[in-house]
């Protein structure tokens, strides 16, 4: 499960403020470039590795496929023998015909049963393999560094986990089944034909390479088109996710038409790529069928000559009928493969995209000798910390500060100066370029991330609630909490009153498709979540920005009580909310330029004093 305080703590907003950063740069393009490096054999090999734990299903599917192919191929033998028992007027051998018909019925029923079982087993194998693939893909997202998630389209990542996994299951596994079934059918058909007549069988075999050549040529030309189609589909998914997630802003800024134009442009490219892929792949089936018809006609001509002249080998009318059936059956695997070439090519393209995600560099794991942080007191030490999101564009420069346990510090400064970035570094969402950060004297690089983050409680300006009850959302950071503890936390955050007005109180489903709450109400629930977790170190990043002034005063009082004897770091733009801080750190251009209490900083008449006076003047003019 993700850390309860990390869900909204992305650096996307901060990254956007860094000159030279482009979320798409090296993002989606790098994954797409990596996808092109995988061969079809690698895709098949990796998918089969996921099918490995279900090998018994794979073996059962193959066994049923073999049985189905042999039974179906035995039908023309029985039909040919039945025809030979009734060639000529008044020459029907009913004594021989009856057991042949009974055997034919039995073989057809058995073939239908094994075919159904093969289909059932293959479908189950596909679903179980897809489940394992999707689990790994989802787990991979949890192991990726925050920098990776921030620099890639979220919609594209979702497309890989959902759509591409489905395409792999539907295409690769079904394609492999078709391939195996085809090989069995071809080998068995050749065996049956050779047993009837070697010369006529050679006619079919000689024409086979022509069909293979046609199918190969079409598949080769369609591969790039399908890769382009899947890439553009991911791009389209990213745009849709972006618009749907921020629909209110889109409407507020009247950008609906602009996004519609972007959607139309991407959708047009997707249409073009899809049309090219479908057109090229659609040539495969009719082309192979043309070769099949030529083969069928050749067998009919040679077979008739064999019946009439006995050369190049003697055949009966029934055997010619069997040969025609085998000629048709022999070419079915080629037709089947060409018929699903669109699906298979799409599956390979999706498989490459999925493997690129699964093989993406992961967050550096905790060191084998990493320590657990037990019973933290809450002292923090940042020594000469430097950091940059983009090489060549430093954001934090030589940040040096000591925060004693139990003290209340505040961070202020203009947007983009590095306040939120500092919090990201404390939680090791990113690692410092140089310098060190200590918690209770322990370098956070030497601590496990889980124990480090468990020491922090965080309330952000951006709120996040998952789809679940109000109680579940408040207890997210402490699942074992009792109902009384949840209610007490809600009361402390001044959320209890509005929760009780909801249709089902604490059992009301919120988030996702649940009850719609205001931004302020969601923020109160997030505050209650942290209050219930009761962490030793508290990080507040504009935690009361979305609630009204009266409620803010009440919540601020709850925060004051909560921060008593607890290390607190408050990021604030409204300077009136941090007047009681033990120390205020003033940041500008990635550096701490002033530090001191509110009164001390005002007395100096520096940057903080000008910020405070400008806010006071604005408040006065607004009044």
């Amino acid at each position: 499960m993700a850390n309860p305080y990390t869900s909204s703590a992305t650096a996307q907003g901060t990254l956007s403020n860094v000159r030279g950063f482009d979320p798409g740069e090296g993002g989606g393009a790098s994954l797409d470039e990596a996808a092109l490096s995988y061969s079809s054999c690698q895709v098949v090999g990796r998918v089969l590795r996921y099918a490995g734990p279900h090998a018994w299903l794979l073996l059962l599917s193959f066994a049923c496929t073999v049985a189905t192919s042999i039974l179906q191929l035995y039908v023309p033998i029985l039909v040919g023998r039945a025809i030979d028992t009734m060639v000529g007027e008044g020459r029907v051998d009913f004594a021989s015909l009856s057991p042949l018909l009974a055997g034919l019925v039995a073989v057809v029923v058995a073939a239908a049963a094994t075919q159904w079982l093969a289909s059932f087993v293959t479908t189950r194998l596909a679903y179980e393999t897809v489940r394992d693939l999707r689990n790994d893909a989802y787990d991979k997202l949890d192991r990726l560094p925050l920098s990776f998630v921030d620099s890639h389209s979220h919609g594209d990542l979702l497309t890989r986990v959902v759509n591409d996994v489905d395409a792999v299951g539907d295409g690769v596994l079904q394609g492999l089944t078709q391939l195996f079934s085809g090989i069995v059918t071809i080998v068995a058909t050749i065996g049956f034909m050779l047993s009837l007549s070697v010369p006529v069988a050679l006619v079919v075999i000689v024409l086979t390479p022509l069909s293979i050549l046609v199918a190969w040529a079409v598949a080769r030309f369609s591969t790039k088109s399908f890769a382009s189609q899947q890439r553009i589909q991911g791009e389209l998914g990213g745009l849709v996710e972006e618009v749907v997630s921020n629909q209110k802003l889109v409407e507020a800024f009247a950008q609906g038409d602009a996004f519609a134009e972007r959607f139309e442009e991407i959708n047009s490219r997707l249409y073009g790529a899809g049309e090219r892929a479908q057109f090229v792949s659609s040539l495969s089936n009719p082309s192979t069928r043309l070769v099949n018809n030529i083969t069928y006609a050749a067998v009919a001509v040679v077979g008739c000559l064999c019946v009439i002249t006995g050369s190049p080998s003697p055949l009966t009318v029934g055997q010619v009928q069997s040969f025609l059936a085998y000629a048709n059956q022999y070419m079915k695997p080629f037709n089947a493969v060409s018929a699903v070439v669109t699906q298979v090519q799409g599956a390979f393209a999706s498989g490459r995209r999925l493997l690129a995600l699964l093989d993406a560099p992961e967050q550096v794991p905790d060191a084998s000798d990493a320590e657990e942080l037990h019973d933290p007191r809450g002292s923090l030490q940042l020594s000469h910390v430097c950091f940059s999101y983009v090489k060549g564009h430093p954001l934090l420069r030589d940040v040096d500060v000591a925060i004693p346990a139990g003290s209340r510090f505040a961070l202020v400064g203009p947007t983009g100066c590095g306040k939120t970035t500092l919090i990201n570094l404390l939680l090791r969402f990113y690692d410092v370029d140089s310098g060190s950060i200590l918690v209770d004297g322990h370098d956070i690089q030497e601590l496990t991330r889980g124990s480090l983050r468990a020491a922090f409680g965080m309330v952000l300006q951006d709120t996040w609630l998952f789809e679940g009850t109000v109680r579940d959302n408040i207890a997210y950071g402490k699942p074992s909490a009792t109902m009384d503890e949840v209610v007490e936390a809600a009361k402390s955050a001044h959320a209890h009153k509005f929760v009780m007005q909801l249709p089902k109180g604490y059992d009301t489903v919120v988030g996702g498709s649940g009850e719609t709450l205001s931004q302020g109400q969601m923020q109160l629930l997030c505050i209650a979540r942290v209050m219930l977790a009761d962490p030793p170190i508290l990080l507040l990043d504009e935690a009361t920005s979305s609630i009204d002034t009266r409620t803010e005063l009440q919540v601020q009082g709850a925060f004051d009580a909560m921060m008593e004897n607890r290390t607190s770091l408050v990021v604030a733009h409204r300077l009136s909310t941090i007047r009681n801080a033990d120390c205020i750190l003033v940041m500008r251009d990635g550096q701490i330029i002033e530090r001191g209490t509110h009164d001390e900083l005002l007395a100096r008449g520096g940057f903080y004093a000008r910020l405070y006076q400008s806010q006071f003047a604005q408040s006065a003019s607004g009044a």
Side-chain angles (χ1 to χ4, degrees):
M1 179 178 289
N3 185 283
Y5 309 118
T6 67
S7 53
S8 295
T10 66
Q12 188 69 53
T14 309
L15 286 168
S16 301
N17 294 321
V18 181
R19 183 169 56 89
F21 176 77
D22 178 6
E25 182 182 352
S30 64
L31 273 183
D32 289 328
E33 289 170 1
L36 294 176
S37 67
Y38 292 94
S39 66
S40 298
C41 291
Q42 287 176 304
V43 174
V44 172
R46 292 283 288 277
V47 173
L48 287 179
R49 192 181 305 170
Y50 279 92
H54 317 291
W56 70 274
L57 288 174
L58 192 61
L59 293 175
L60 182 58
S61 174
F62 286 164
C64 291
T65 300
V66 170
T68 300
S69 299
I70 293 176
L71 288 170
Q72 288 177 340
L73 291 173
Y74 192 59
V75 169
I77 294 289
L78 296 176
V79 171
R81 291 174 182 175
I83 291 175
D84 285 337
T85 65
M86 50 185 173
V87 175
E89 185 177 354
R91 294 172 55 189
V92 178
D93 185 357
F94 288 102
S96 301
L97 180 61
S98 297
L100 287 173
L101 293 179
L104 180 62
V105 171
V107 169
V108 169
V109 171
T114 54
Q115 187 175 32
W116 174 86
L117 184 59
S119 177
F120 173 81
V121 171
T122 302
T123 301
R124 180 175 173 182
L125 174 65
Y127 276 121
E128 299 213 7
T129 303
V130 164
R131 178 198 61 196
D132 295 343
L133 263 172
R134 184 169 286 121
N135 283 341
D136 273 8
Y138 180 80
D139 290 342
K140 179 70 177 188
L141 293 180
D142 204 37
R143 297 194 303 272
L144 291 172
L146 187 65
S147 57
F148 182 94
V149 178
D150 281 337
S151 60
H152 287 76
S153 164
H154 294 178
D156 182 62
L157 294 178
L158 293 175
T159 299
R160 292 172 193 263
V161 174
V162 180
N163 296 356
D164 288 334
V165 172
D166 281 336
V168 169
D170 294 341
V172 174
L173 289 176
Q174 299 289 351
L176 286 176
T177 304
Q178 290 277 16
L179 178 62
F180 181 76
S181 174
I183 291 173
V184 172
T185 300
I186 291 170
V187 172
T189 304
I190 290 175
F192 278 112
M193 287 192 298
L194 289 173
S195 68
L196 293 174
S197 172
V198 173
V200 182
L202 290 177
V203 172
V204 178
I205 296 172
V206 167
L207 291 174
T208 300
L210 182 59
S211 182
I212 296 176
L213 181 63
V214 169
W216 172 81
V218 173
R220 181 180 179 184
F221 284 111
S222 61
T223 299
K224 290 185 178 180
S225 296
F226 278 106
S228 176
Q229 179 183 344
Q230 295 302 111
R231 178 182 57 78
I232 299 174
Q233 190 175 50
E235 184 181 348
L236 188 65
L239 177 67
V240 172
E241 188 271 341
E242 181 181 337
V243 174
V244 172
S245 301
N246 301 280
Q247 187 64 36
K248 291 181 180 179
L249 285 175
V250 173
E251 295 296 333
F253 285 94
Q255 290 299 306
D257 291 341
F259 273 108
E261 290 178 4
R262 286 181 58 190
F263 180 89
E264 178 62 27
E265 185 272 329
I266 298 174
N267 200 31
S268 296
R269 285 192 283 120
L270 179 61
Y271 174 82
E275 186 178 41
R276 287 191 299 273
Q278 296 293 333
F279 174 75
V280 175
S281 63
S282 66
L283 294 176
S284 179
N285 195 259
S287 299
T288 53
R289 286 188 181 277
L290 175 61
V291 177
N292 297 351
N293 291 335
I294 293 173
T295 303
Y296 190 87
V299 170
V301 171
V302 176
C304 289
L305 290 175
C306 289
V307 172
I308 297 171
T309 66
S311 178
S313 65
L315 287 177
T316 65
V317 174
Q319 288 175 328
V320 172
Q321 173 58 36
S322 298
F323 245 116
L324 290 174
Y326 283 136
N328 187 47
Q329 192 80 8
Y330 178 75
M331 303 310 297
K332 275 187 177 180
F334 301 106
N335 293 337
V337 170
S338 62
V340 298
V341 69
T342 299
Q343 185 181 29
V344 172
Q345 288 294 335
F348 277 123
S350 292
R352 293 183 180 96
R353 284 166 47 82
L354 184 60
L355 293 186
L357 173 64
L358 290 173
D359 293 341
E362 297 184 2
Q363 177 176 262
V364 178
D366 293 330
S368 57
D369 58 348
E371 301 176 19
E372 295 281 339
L373 182 62
H374 297 291
D375 301 320
R377 294 177 293 104
S379 67
L380 302 173
Q381 173 75 47
L382 289 82
S383 300
H384 307 291
V385 170
C386 296
F387 175 76
S388 60
Y389 287 111
V390 182
K391 291 183 179 179
H393 300 282
L395 181 58
L396 296 181
R397 293 176 289 179
D398 197 32
V399 175
D400 199 277
V401 61
I403 303 177
S407 59
R408 187 182 308 182
F409 273 54
L411 280 174
V412 300
T415 300
C417 68
K419 302 185 297 296
T420 301
T421 297
L422 207 56
I423 291 177
N424 287 333
L425 294 178
L426 285 172
L427 292 166
R428 282 200 69 191
F429 294 153
Y430 293 83
D431 287 327
V432 298
D433 294 339
S434 63
S436 63
I437 300 177
L438 307 180
V439 175
D440 289 349
H442 300 281
D443 192 322
I444 63 174
Q445 302 279 354
E446 300 173 357
L447 298 173
T448 61
R449 288 185 176 88
S451 65
L452 171 67
R453 292 169 184 171
F456 291 87
M458 190 171 188
V459 182
L460 301 167
Q461 180 177 4
D462 297 324
T463 58
W464 175 76
L465 298 178
F466 61 88
E467 186 172 351
T469 64
V470 171
R471 176 180 179 176
D472 292 339
N473 271 278
I474 294 177
Y476 188 52
K478 187 181 178 182
S480 60
T482 65
M483 187 63 196
D484 289 340
E485 290 175 321
V486 170
V487 172
E488 188 60 34
K491 287 181 177 179
S492 299
H494 297 276
H496 178 73
K497 182 177 180 180
F498 86 79
V499 169
M500 295 308 297
Q501 294 174 347
L502 296 174
K504 296 182 180 179
Y506 285 88
D507 293 324
T508 302
V509 176
V510 296
S513 58
E515 183 77 16
T516 300
L517 302 178
S518 70
Q519 190 70 23
Q521 289 172 328
M522 289 193 294
Q523 198 162 42
L524 290 178
L525 293 183
C526 292
I527 292 171
R529 179 190 297 167
V530 173
M531 288 184 168
L532 177 62
D534 195 26
I537 305 174
L538 193 61
L539 303 176
L540 305 179
D541 190 352
E542 289 294 325
T544 59
S545 61
S546 298
I547 54 181
D548 62 89
T549 304
R550 180 174 177 275
T551 304
E552 180 185 11
L553 292 174
Q554 294 174 330
V555 173
Q556 193 63 49
F559 272 145
D560 289 339
M562 185 180 179
M563 288 188 287
E564 195 70 34
N565 299 320
R566 189 190 310 268
T567 306
S568 304
L569 186 59
V570 182
V571 175
H573 287 109
R574 284 182 286 191
L575 304 185
S576 58
T577 63
I578 57 170
R579 297 180 61 174
N580 297 326
D582 297 326
C583 181
I584 298 174
L585 305 175
V586 185
M587 296 190 68
R588 185 178 185 182
D589 298 329
Q591 294 178 301
I592 297 177
I593 59 173
E594 295 179 2
R595 65 185 74 197
T597 64
H598 173 75
D599 293 334
E600 290 172 349
L601 292 174
L602 284 183
R604 292 178 192 170
F607 186 73
Y608 177 84
R610 293 194 296 273
L611 279 179
Y612 185 80
Q613 290 165 2
S614 65
Q615 287 192 10
F616 182 79
Q618 290 173 0
S619 300
S621 62

